[in-house]
Amino acid sequence: MARVLVVEDEEDILEVVSRYLKLDSHEVLTAKSLEEMYEVLEKGCVDLIVLDLLLPDGDAMDEIPSIKIMCPETFIIVLTALREDRNRILGLELGADDYVTKPFNPRELVARVRAVMRRKGSLEKVLTYKDMKLIVHERTLQIGEETISLSGKEFDILLLMFQNPKRVFSRYEILEYVWRGSERSDRIVDVYMSTLRKKIGKERLVTVRGVGYKLG
């Protein structure tokens, strides 16, 4: 069961989403504006926010970074009538974890909530490979007694690889996982791999010629 805040100004949608989430055993809080949302969050962060973008007192897209600073462990599913890819990509880049467009099937939304919460559970652990430890909930890497500073994208690349330590990942797979479909040249993967090698040692991150990258 998760503690979910639904931020939606359309009464009928708010009622339907709340009902389906409660039927799935979640605790549901509601807000109809950004002001009400912050009033709820000031009393305590929630596990997940279902966030409508177009609210009476502003564009919630602009608030995603602030929400993440205020509640860094809170997941966000954006709920909006906007369909353009640029809006979806921007929302994800700003820190949203998933994106659902109206009209939608409430069962699908509940399934998305379950999927995101499964991810939350999987993040509260330590992944180990040889002499390296990826402390997932802290988003840090340890090699022996040394803590390695990682950027967000560097951490996401290593998370993908630590979850599948024997697998070789193509540039395309890394690009899709880390940059989530936003338009980027696969050259950026090579740039990040080069930086990571300097931080963790080239023997720990190897190139499989003609295929991609894997942990060494």
Side-chain angles (χ1 to χ4, degrees), residues 116-129:
V116 169
M117 293 312 300
R118 282 196 297 270
R119 284 172 51 195
K120 185 178 181 69
S122 69
L123 292 179
E124 296 173 351
K125 60 184 179 183
V126 176
L127 301 176
T128 302
Y129 182 76

Side-chain angles (χ1 to χ4, degrees), residues 9-68:
D9 64 315
E10 295 185 40
E11 188 67 43
D12 55 342
I13 295 177
L14 181 64
E15 181 181 348
V16 169
V17 170
S18 299
R19 182 169 72 249
Y20 273 82
L21 288 171
K22 288 176 181 177
L23 288 172
D24 203 46
S25 300
H26 299 293
E27 178 186 351
V28 180
L29 306 173
T30 62
K32 296 181 181 179
S33 65
L34 294 173
E35 182 180 3
E36 289 183 12
M37 176 190 74
Y38 281 119
E39 287 176 357
V40 172
L41 295 179
E42 283 171 2
K43 296 176 182 177
C45 294
V46 296
D47 295 308
L48 184 144
I49 300 174
V50 177
L51 181 64
D52 181 34
L53 290 187
L54 300 180
L55 294 166
D57 51 350
D59 184 349
M61 182 87 78
D62 299 332
E63 302 302 316
I64 293 175
S66 298
I67 295 170
K68 284 294 187 179

Side-chain angles (χ1 to χ4, degrees), residues 146-159:
E146 183 182 4
T147 298
I148 309 298
S149 176
L150 299 172
S151 70
K153 292 290 190 290
E154 289 169 349
F155 175 85
D156 290 340
I157 290 170
L158 288 181
L159 177 60

Side-chain angles (χ1 to χ4, degrees), residues 13-204:
I13 295 177
L14 181 64
E15 181 181 348
V16 169
V17 170
S18 299
R19 182 169 72 249
Y20 273 82
L21 288 171
K22 288 176 181 177
L23 288 172
D24 203 46
S25 300
H26 299 293
E27 178 186 351
V28 180
L29 306 173
T30 62
K32 296 181 181 179
S33 65
L34 294 173
E35 182 180 3
E36 289 183 12
M37 176 190 74
Y38 281 119
E39 287 176 357
V40 172
L41 295 179
E42 283 171 2
K43 296 176 182 177
C45 294
V46 296
D47 295 308
L48 184 144
I49 300 174
V50 177
L51 181 64
D52 181 34
L53 290 187
L54 300 180
L55 294 166
D57 51 350
D59 184 349
M61 182 87 78
D62 299 332
E63 302 302 316
I64 293 175
S66 298
I67 295 170
K68 284 294 187 179
I69 292 171
M70 186 176 186
C71 297
E73 296 185 3
T74 294
F75 285 83
I76 299 174
I77 297 178
V78 167
L79 184 63
T80 178
L82 299 176
R83 293 179 177 275
E84 295 87 345
D85 284 345
R86 64 179 179 273
N87 290 307
R88 174 179 62 84
I89 292 168
L90 179 58
L92 294 174
E93 288 185 339
L94 288 173
D97 298 281
D98 204 349
Y99 194 103
V100 178
T101 55
K102 302 175 184 177
F104 62 94
N105 186 323
R107 291 187 177 87
E108 177 191 356
L109 178 59
V110 170
R112 298 285 187 97
V113 170
R114 287 179 183 171
V116 169
M117 293 312 300
R118 282 196 297 270
R119 284 172 51 195
K120 185 178 181 69
S122 69
L123 292 179
E124 296 173 351
K125 60 184 179 183
V126 176
L127 301 176
T128 302
Y129 182 76
K130 295 186 177 178
D131 63 341
M132 297 186 290
K133 289 184 179 180
L134 196 66
I135 306 171
V136 183
H137 62 285
E138 295 180 358
R139 296 181 70 83
T140 59
L141 175 71
Q142 286 187 348
I143 300 178
E145 298 298 319
E146 183 182 4
T147 298
I148 309 298
S149 176
L150 299 172
S151 70
K153 292 290 190 290
E154 289 169 349
F155 175 85
D156 290 340
I157 290 170
L158 288 181
L159 177 60
L160 174 64
M161 293 186 159
F162 269 74
Q163 289 173 331
N164 304 271
K166 296 182 179 180
R167 181 176 167 186
V168 180
F169 288 93
S170 69
R171 290 175 179 82
Y172 176 78
E173 288 172 323
I174 296 170
L175 198 64
E176 284 295 297
Y177 178 86
V178 175
W179 281 268
R180 298 181 181 178
S182 59
E183 294 183 6
R184 295 288 191 278
S185 165
D186 59 6
R187 171 62 182 158
I188 197 171
V189 176
D190 297 330
V191 173
Y192 271 85
M193 289 301 182
S194 177
T195 303
L196 270 173
R197 279 200 179 106
K198 292 176 182 177
K199 289 185 175 183
I200 71 175
K202 61 183 180 181
E203 74 281 359
R204 295 187 178 91

